[in-house]
Amino acid sequence: GAVVSQHPSRVICKSGTSVKIECRSLDFQATTMFWYRQFPKQSLMLMATSNEGSKATYEQGVEKDKFLINHASLTLSTLTVTSAHPEDSSFYICSARVGGGYTFGSGTRLTVV
Amino acid sequence: EDQVTQSPEALRLQEGESSSLNCSYTVSGLRGLFWYRQDPGKGPEFLFTLYSAGEEKEKERLKATLTKKESFLHITAPKPEDSATYLCAVQAASGAGSYQLTFGKGTKLSVIP
């Protein structure tokens, strides 16, 4: 089946630094990638939709200058959290459309200290 | 605005005690309703997609059903390994965000031996 590999699984960074999260589609080409954020006991909230070779579309309330998304190839999308603050601590998950469905990465637990 | 409400928030079952999880939805035309399983610290794992009212799908101890307003995930004779959070999501049939999923908050299932 279609697999999306997400790295790192956990990261701790200092406040004010930047963190990059990678998602790779291992056995298919991901034209569209979705990035979600999930707080404890909350739903997955869509942050942005990225299409290969074009600018990402951000959901209302998501700062595009803080959460930089790059989808430069059909197998790689990255999310960079810039100038991270403790309130950015969360679980970040990527997802790709495959056929009529969606496959998800394993998630990245970001802790900003 | 598309909305998904899952109930109950949490459910504790004895091993072998069958039950059902509910997903109520409001969407401007349903393209698909998805059920996922999510283990702690992991990304969602695909279970089922349902497309039209009256449709049913089964996999081992799980059976998903769909009406025009809600979906049920029936769990028959659950085992401790079925313990997880079960997420429901809908995809709208049209509009700018027609490839996006809207998730419910999930039902955390605990199966006690």
Side-chain angles (χ1 to χ4, degrees), chain A residues 23-36:
Chain A
C23 276
R24 293 181 183 273
S25 54
L26 298 186
D27 48 4
F28 66 101
Q29 293 183 328
T31 306
T32 304
M33 193 78 81
F34 303 92
W35 287 93
Y36 294 87

Side-chain angles (χ1 to χ4, degrees), chain A residues 54-67:
Chain A
S54 62
K55 289 184 178 180
T57 302
Y58 290 81
E59 295 301 300
Q60 191 173 8
V62 178
E63 299 175 58
K64 62 181 181 181
D65 294 330
K66 181 172 185 62
F67 298 99

Side-chain angles (χ1 to χ4, degrees), chain A residues 33-83:
Chain A
M33 193 78 81
F34 303 92
W35 287 93
Y36 294 87
R37 182 167 51 181
Q38 186 179 32
F39 292 105
K41 298 186 178 180
Q42 296 297 314
S43 174
L44 275 73
M45 296 301 297
L46 182 66
M47 299 174 65
T49 302
S50 71
N51 292 295
E52 184 267 336
S54 62
K55 289 184 178 180
T57 302
Y58 290 81
E59 295 301 300
Q60 191 173 8
V62 178
E63 299 175 58
K64 62 181 181 181
D65 294 330
K66 181 172 185 62
F67 298 99
L68 301 179
I69 292 173
N70 185 290
H71 195 162
S73 79
L74 287 171
T75 59
L76 176 64
S77 178
T78 62
L79 167 67
T80 301
V81 183
T82 62
S83 187

